[in-house]
Amino acid sequence: MNNRRFSVEDPTSSSRVRRDVRWHSFLSSVVQHSFFKAFILMIIISNAFIIALEEEYNNTGLFRALVVMLAKAMKRALYMTCLVFFIMFIFAVAGVLYFGEQATGDVEERKR
């Protein structure tokens, strides 16, 4: 049996040799390039935009659909921001109630 193939028993063996070195190096150079990352980001953003536009556009006009879509996105962002601040407030109050104030809280832990 050829010792240069991947070993099932020991995947960390130093005798492992890639059979597709040129293809791997080509794909690595493409995927690690900054243009590739920007391209993928633009694909994701355009996909999200098209999905949102398809949801809102009902023969009412493109401009109206864009305005409604933007308003809904801002509304969701505001709701999420308020939710995050509310959760932070709850954890802050719970922390003060559980551990005490900063100057006088958790005296037993300070003595250790």
Side-chain angles (χ1 to χ4, degrees):
M1 181 151 287
N2 190 354
N3 291 335
R4 296 182 63 140
R5 293 186 180 199
F6 290 112
S7 172
V8 176
E9 295 82 22
D10 186 14
T12 61
S13 173
S14 61
S15 66
R16 294 175 22 165
V17 175
R18 252 191 134 59
R19 296 189 333 203
D20 57 350
V21 175
R22 289 187 311 177
W23 178 247
H24 180 263
S25 63
F26 171 73
L27 282 181
S28 292
S29 65
V30 168
V31 171
Q32 293 174 359
H33 202 277
S34 61
F35 288 137
F36 179 79
K37 294 176 184 178
F39 176 72
I40 294 297
L41 181 64
M42 290 305 299
I43 294 292
I44 292 171
I45 290 172
S46 62
N47 186 29
F49 181 75
I50 289 171
I51 289 172
L53 190 60
E54 285 176 349
E55 182 181 325
E56 293 299 327
Y57 187 68
N58 297 328
N59 295 328
T60 58
L62 180 62
F63 182 73
R64 186 175 188 285
L66 289 174
V67 169
V68 169
M69 185 176 65
L70 181 63
K72 283 186 175 183
M74 290 174 60
K75 180 179 162 184
R76 288 181 190 135
L78 181 65
Y79 284 161
M80 291 305 295
T81 304
C82 291
L83 180 65
V84 166
F85 282 126
F86 180 70
I87 290 172
M88 287 172 52
F89 175 76
I90 294 295
F91 278 110
V93 169
V96 168
L97 292 176
Y98 186 73
F99 296 110
E101 295 178 18
Q102 186 175 2
T104 61
D106 210 358
V107 177
E108 294 174 7
E109 184 66 30
R110 278 196 243 154
K111 289 180 182 178
R112 290 182 190 181

